[in-house]
Amino acid sequence: MEWYINNRELIKNLAINTGTTDSPTFTNICTTSEIGVETSLEEKDFYVFCDSLQRKVITGASVTLTGTLKLDVNNVGDISFLNKVHTLIADGEVAQFSGILIQFDLLSGVNNGVLEYTKYQAQVSLNLSDLGGAAEDESEFSFEMQLIGKGTEIASS
Amino acid sequence: MSEQDIKNKNLVLIDYLRSIVDGYKIRAEYSTNDSDIQVIVVQEASGQKIVLWDTDPLYNYYDVNIYGDNIQNAKNVSVKIGNLIGNNIYFQWNDQQWQIMIKQFSNPRTIEYEDIRRISYTMTLQCIVNRIS
């Protein structure tokens, strides 16, 4: 028998650090529908002597979380995205987009009828686009969080 | 999923709706007899299915028609059912566990009186009704 999940059950509780680096506080951000996980592989092509069929070797990968954020002005996590844009405009700084600590739960399996998750913390660099959104009622924007290095497993639940 | 499970899909959805909606009879067919005033009818409707390897075709479409004698009550029930969109509901049905994933639906809208005493709302739910264990 099959057990299907929906897009909100693959990654849950995506949260951003709204505290300090030394004592992080994670606030869940208000995402619409799904959050995607993308692996982008870096590959090298090569050929061997005597034939012309292509081979590939994977030399690296980047992992990116993508999603759409629905701006909730009561949510300090959401507002922290805007604050980074303010800093960019007012001070011309970009450091605030790098090394952001996030936390999320990634589905790891099922046990006795209960979905199990592994909680990770990771540093990411953040890209925003379409701030504002196209439609009158949207106030949404899409984000890309590219993991910097390895994440840390916090707990399984 | 066995032949019997496929037949049970409609019943599972009906039993789930019974567990969340009070005051209405919920059944697969509508009759015009006078005791059938507050009734919700859940019937399979046509819609595009998705076929995956080695599984039954995904998605069932159900027309949900809400009949009553009070337009506000019928509207409230339609909103309650409509708000199930996006949920993956785990539902214990007898000794079986089922999931009901409601993906999208056509918004509730009034339909013409079935007869002089009834007011009705209708909507179409796109669901995955699937037996887990």
Side-chain angles (χ1 to χ4, degrees):
Chain A
M1 270 177 237
E2 297 82 31
W3 178 330
Y4 302 113
I5 59 164
N6 69 7
N7 50 26
R8 295 172 209 201
E9 290 173 306
L10 180 63
I11 289 190
K12 296 203 307 186
N13 301 326
L14 178 59
I16 189 170
N17 179 16
T18 51
T20 62
T21 309
D22 290 337
S23 67
T25 308
F26 290 98
T27 308
N28 284 10
I29 57 177
C30 178
T31 53
T32 59
S33 64
E34 76 269 33
I35 298 168
V37 191
E38 292 171 14
T39 55
S40 175
L41 300 179
E42 192 172 280
E43 299 169 332
K44 298 283 185 210
D45 298 339
F46 67 98
Y47 300 84
V48 298
F49 186 62
C50 291
D51 75 40
S52 54
L53 295 175
Q54 191 179 68
R55 274 83 167 165
K56 286 179 185 298
V57 61
I58 296 172
T59 55
S62 73
V63 179
T64 306
L65 304 184
T66 59
T68 303
L69 191 136
K70 181 78 178 165
L71 194 55
D72 167 14
V73 290
N74 280 337
N75 182 320
V76 292
D78 291 6
I79 289 296
S80 74
F81 283 77
L82 281 184
N83 290 340
K84 296 179 197 313
V85 177
H86 278 291
T87 308
L88 174 63
I89 294 172
D91 304 330
E93 287 181 10
V94 291
Q96 70 276 15
F97 289 104
S98 183
I100 299 165
L101 194 60
I102 62 160
Q103 183 172 279
F104 58 93
D105 300 347
L106 180 63
L107 183 69
S108 52
V110 62
N111 188 14
N112 288 328
V114 179
L115 296 179
E116 288 186 325
Y117 291 86
T118 304
K119 187 182 285 297
Y120 288 103
Q121 285 180 4
Q123 287 196 337
V124 297
S125 63
L126 177 69
N127 252 306
L128 304 177
S129 56
D130 291 336
L131 203 60
E136 289 284 340
D137 57 352
E138 265 186 351
S139 77
E140 297 172 355
F141 53 90
S142 50
F143 61 82
E144 278 185 17
M145 295 173 170
Q146 186 179 342
L147 267 61
I148 303 170
K150 296 179 186 176
T152 310
E153 183 178 327
I154 300 302
S156 294
S157 61
Chain B
M1 189 174 270
S2 69
E3 193 73 29
Q4 190 59 44
D5 291 335
I6 291 170
K7 290 178 185 168
N8 285 342
K9 284 182 175 190
N10 205 352
L11 297 175
V12 171
L13 181 61
I14 286 174
D15 278 345
Y16 172 68
L17 292 177
R18 279 179 182 151
S19 73
I20 62 166
V21 176
D22 293 327
Y24 283 80
K25 295 174 187 167
I26 304 182
R27 50 177 64 157
E29 288 180 27
Y30 179 73
S31 78
T32 52
N33 78 50
D34 269 354
S35 60
D36 260 4
I37 291 177
Q38 304 271 94
V39 177
I40 299 174
V41 179
V42 180
Q43 280 178 332
E44 180 120 27
S46 62
Q48 189 182 12
K49 303 234 174 187
I50 303 290
V51 182
L52 301 176
W53 169 255
D54 209 20
T55 67
D56 305 302
L58 281 190
Y59 304 136
N60 295 92
Y61 297 80
Y62 295 98
D63 277 343
V64 179
N65 296 323
I66 301 158
Y67 300 100
D69 51 4
N70 179 317
I71 198 163
Q72 189 171 7
N73 280 352
K75 187 266 296 176
N76 288 345
V77 171
S78 75
V79 170
K80 184 172 190 174
I81 296 173
N83 283 346
L84 298 174
I85 188 170
N87 287 341
N88 188 1
I89 298 146
Y90 297 108
F91 182 58
Q92 191 73 29
W93 193 71
N94 300 328
D95 60 342
Q96 302 170 358
Q97 196 179 7
W98 287 71
Q99 67 176 155
I100 304 169
M101 205 184 286
I102 297 176
K103 279 204 64 186
Q104 68 182 39
F105 75 112
S106 70
N107 285 309
R109 60 209 180 270
T110 52
I111 55 177
E112 293 177 8
Y113 288 10
E114 292 298 307
D115 57 51
I116 197 66
R117 295 181 55 197
R118 279 129 170 114
I119 287 161
S120 42
Y121 265 79
T122 185
M123 67 179 78
T124 307
L125 302 175
Q126 183 191 11
C127 306
I128 294 173
V129 182
N130 179 48
R131 184 177 165 189
I132 295 176
S133 66

